[in-house]
Amino acid sequence: MKFSIGVLSLLLVLVTHVNATAQGRFVPNYDETAIPDYELPACLITNEGKVVSNAAMWEQTRRAEILELFESEVYGRSPEACKILHKTISKKNYALGCKAVIREVDVTMQLASKSTTIRLLIYTPRSRVSVPAFIGLNFQGNHTVDASDEISITDNWVRNRGGIKDNRANASTRGTAAGRWAIDKIIDRGYGLVTIYYGDIDPDFDDGFKNGIHPQFANQTSRITEGERWGSIAAWAYGLSRALDYLELDDNIDATRVAVIGHSRLGKTSLWAGATDPRFKVVISNNSGCGGAALSRRAIGETVERINTSFPHWFCDNYLKYNRNENACPVDQHMLIGLIAPRAVYVASATGDTWADPKGEFLSCVHADPVYRLLGTTGMGDAGLPAAFPKPDAPIKTGRIGYHLRTGKHDVTEYDWEQYLDFADRHLQSQ
Ligand code: GCU
């Protein structure tokens, strides 16, 4: 009986899918029983089929293989680090009721005669130096994270959203994203916050990479096989790494204690930044979903085909090979989490964010756990794996892999930040 209902619902999903595709419409599957059969590629078996039995084998062989596969098949190959120049643009000493200093610092990524400048908005607790910090990209401009009229407004392309009509930011959106950045809490807990408008690095639309940072590296990237050239996620992650290069020169922040954080597409980005740059000591993915923390093979909610169709510029062209063909991909997203090991990683989902497949995000953590344990650290929890998919608002945050399922929609909330701060206290403060 159970079996035939399963088969019937599978048929129904297939028929709906074929119909929807014929009409050019994508109808996501949200039915766990209709998930296709899949087998995850193993984190701890090398391409040659050898079992990875110790940390050296992981570091020297398997980690390198997995990183290489994500570069060639998913996000594309990023260029070498370029030189950076920096310049302080503004400084406010007595901000946030005198408890913080706010600075704007321009960091120029320079390669031969070409350059791209990103503006870092930096909050640090006043009268303290060398603090641990969070760094994260924002969606609509630095001026949206805080209503202060002293924060400069980007001249770069921004998405038409929240009243913006001509892709140019203006003062009407000041502070509109403030709810996503718990700045007071972050400062009160002794952390700095660095944020950058992601469009400073690469504007988020598909123009064949004519704008943003990509053209600057054309000499290098044209030597790379076309399918493996870097997409926007890789470019945004590259920008985060160059910002970290600058933080290494900034006395107010301890660059050895930085957590990279991102929401949604920028959560995919923080994971890739954490995977490619081991200087990020903590990596936080908020509702990152498909191409982020969620297992692609589950094909529930957003799928590889759907993301490649809506956002073809995010990934490398080779990723197209896995449209409705996830099983053929030599990696899945648990291996992305594995690349971060043994550093601390936190994945957060939301009950109303089924598009991002909360359970798939959780399962990625579960399947990355053996890598953490092989490296002699805790994985998901001290005692062992959680017995089941956790209930809403019951965070797992005592091991090196943290996870929670928040009640609510696709967003970053105070609740999320409270968990991240607790997690950061464990992994960034105790040194
Ligand atoms: C879309 C997209 C997601 C992405 C999200 C976002 O919903 O399909 O993959 O995470 O946008 O970045 O807001």
Side-chain angles (χ1 to χ4, degrees), residues 35-52:
I35 289 177
D37 283 342
Y38 68 83
E39 197 181 324
L40 289 177
C43 285
L44 297 179
I45 297 183
T46 67
N47 291 349
E48 283 179 355
K50 294 201 179 108
V51 174
V52 180

Side-chain angles (χ1 to χ4, degrees), residues 19 25 43 48 62 73 123 147 268 283 355 363 365:
N19 270 338
R25 215 164 28 88
C43 285
E48 283 179 355
R62 187 54 177 155
E73 306 303 300
Y123 293 79
K268 310 181 206 300
V283 180
W355 182 241
L363 288 175
C365 297

Side-chain angles (χ1 to χ4, degrees), residues 130-399:
S130 217
V131 292
F134 292 87
I135 184 169
L137 301 176
N138 64 70
F139 280 86
Q140 291 290 106
N142 290 349
H143 66 288
T144 63
V145 312
D146 178 339
S148 158
D149 57 12
E150 288 171 70
I151 298 168
S152 60
I153 296 180
T154 180
D155 293 329
N156 287 327
W157 176 96
V158 290
R159 175 163 299 94
N160 284 339
R161 175 185 283 175
I164 301 295
K165 293 205 179 66
D166 52 359
N167 299 117
R168 295 285 150 226
N170 63 49
S172 71
T173 51
R174 280 199 185 285
T176 47
R180 286 187 169 177
W181 301 89
I183 298 175
D184 274 293
K185 267 205 177 90
I186 295 170
I187 295 290
D188 291 345
R189 300 267 295 250
Y191 292 87
L193 172 67
V194 182
T195 184
I196 305 156
Y197 171 49
Y198 80 141
D200 283 0
I201 307 165
D202 185 28
D204 189 4
F205 62 93
D206 185 19
D207 69 339
F209 298 128
K210 294 200 185 61
N211 58 20
I213 199 175
H214 286 93
Q216 184 179 329
F217 292 94
N219 279 347
Q220 284 182 40
T221 49
S222 60
R223 282 181 243 133
I224 295 171
T225 317
E226 218 169 315
E228 299 180 1
R229 292 184 192 158
W230 60 334
S232 291
I233 291 176
W236 297 324
Y238 183 89
L240 283 164
S241 284
R242 302 294 71 76
L244 187 55
D245 294 346
Y246 163 72
L247 295 182
E248 288 182 335
L249 310 172
D250 187 315
D251 291 340
N252 293 95
I253 287 177
D254 178 356
T256 68
R257 293 188 292 153
V258 170
V260 62
I261 179 167
H263 169 59
S264 212
R265 68 199 69 183
L266 300 178
K268 310 181 206 300
T269 303
S270 64
L271 288 171
W272 186 232
T276 49
D277 191 336
R279 295 174 301 167
F280 291 114
K281 284 289 146 53
V282 171
V283 180
I284 302 169
S285 140
N286 192 87
N287 305 181
S288 63
C290 182
L295 290 176
S296 304
R297 278 167 172 73
R298 281 169 50 85
I300 200 161
E302 186 171 29
T303 62
V304 171
E305 178 185 41
R306 171 60 195 229
I307 205 166
N308 275 329
T309 309
S310 320
F311 306 101
H313 56 297
W314 286 0
F315 302 90
C316 66
D317 286 353
N318 274 351
Y319 200 43
L320 292 164
K321 293 190 289 190
Y322 309 109
N323 285 356
R324 272 202 255 169
N325 189 22
E326 288 85 352
N327 272 314
C329 189
V331 288
D332 209 320
Q333 301 305 109
H334 62 305
M335 297 159 108
L336 179 62
I337 312 265
L339 286 177
I340 296 163
R343 288 165 294 139
V345 61
Y346 198 111
V347 172
S349 314
T351 52
D353 190 19
T354 49
W355 182 241
D357 184 18
K359 189 161 181 195
E361 297 186 309
F362 168 75
L363 288 175
S364 269
C365 297
V366 169
H367 291 289
D369 180 272
V371 182
Y372 279 79
R373 308 241 180 225
L374 178 77
L375 300 182
T377 66
T378 55
M380 266 197 121
D382 299 330
L385 280 173
F389 185 38
K391 298 241 173 320
D393 311 317
I396 298 167
K397 55 182 176 185
T398 56

